[in-house]
Amino acid sequence: MAENTISNANERIQVNVRVDGDLIKLLDEKRIALLAQLGSIPSRSEVVRIALEEYLVDKK
C-alpha cells in the first residue's frame, strides 16, 4: 500500500473547477492586473494556483 502514497509533495495533480461568468470576469481582470508584477499575463490556472496558495498556505 505504501507504493500508492504520493512520494513527492511537489507533484502536480490536476483539479477541475467550474465557476460562473462573473467569477471568470474577475479572474481575467486579475490576470491583466498581474501583468505589471509578473511581466506577462498569467494563465487562468496560474492565477488560481496563486490564489489557493495565498488562501491555504499559513504565512508565518
Side-chain angles (χ1 to χ4, degrees):
M1 291 280 178
E3 297 171 346
N4 292 334
T5 61
I6 296 176
S7 60
N8 183 351
N10 293 324
E11 180 179 347
R12 290 187 180 235
I13 298 171
Q14 183 173 340
V15 176
N16 295 314
V17 179
R18 294 178 191 264
V19 296
D20 65 21
D22 291 336
L23 194 53
I24 285 293
K25 182 179 177 186
L26 292 171
L27 184 60
D28 287 341
E29 289 173 1
K30 186 63 172 182
R31 292 175 63 217
I32 301 302
L34 287 170
L35 170 62
Q37 179 183 347
L38 301 177
S40 64
I41 298 173
S43 67
R44 288 175 173 166
S45 294
E46 184 61 28
V47 174
V48 170
R49 278 191 293 276
I50 292 168
L52 286 172
E53 286 174 3
E54 289 182 8
Y55 183 76
L56 296 174
V57 176
D58 184 22
K59 308 245 178 176
K60 295 180 182 178

